Amino acid sequence: MPEVKTIKGIDDETWTNFKSLAAKDNVKLATLLKNMLKEYEKGKNIFWKDILKGKRIFTEEEAEKIEDLIRKKRKEYGFRS
């Protein structure tokens, strides 16, 4: 017999929706959960790829100028650098 796991904090409506999704796709709950986790990870990786390797908003020169302005403002208002 497989080991029983508990998911804490799930309300009845969410659990019912989860079970009905599995039934509609004719898959076991464990399979549906695995697929959902894979899709979540894939989406998270795509998000960070877009953020870290996406099109630049500023050129290098513009970015340096902005950083200099920010440093000056932080000193002017007494922020730690």
Side-chain angles (χ1 to χ4, degrees), residues 5-21:
K5 302 287 184 183
T6 302
I7 303 174
K8 296 179 183 178
I10 291 185
D11 57 64
D12 290 336
E13 182 181 354
T14 303
W15 182 247
T16 303
N17 289 339
F18 185 62
K19 288 186 344 184
S20 68
L21 279 175

Side-chain angles (χ1 to χ4, degrees), residues 17-55:
N17 289 339
F18 185 62
K19 288 186 344 184
S20 68
L21 279 175
K24 285 178 188 175
D25 291 343
N26 197 25
V27 295
K28 294 181 179 181
L29 290 173
T31 304
L32 178 61
L33 184 59
K34 286 178 190 176
N35 291 341
M36 291 171 79
L37 288 171
K38 284 180 189 174
E39 288 299 315
Y40 176 80
E41 285 295 324
K42 186 170 32 170
K44 196 167 67 168
N45 290 338
I46 289 171
F47 168 78
W48 282 111
K49 183 178 178 184
D50 288 346
I51 295 292
L52 298 174
K53 298 186 184 200
K55 183 181 174 187

Side-chain angles (χ1 to χ4, degrees), residues 51-63:
I51 295 292
L52 298 174
K53 298 186 184 200
K55 183 181 174 187
R56 290 180 178 235
I57 298 171
F58 301 112
T59 64
E60 287 294 324
E61 291 175 5
E62 291 172 329

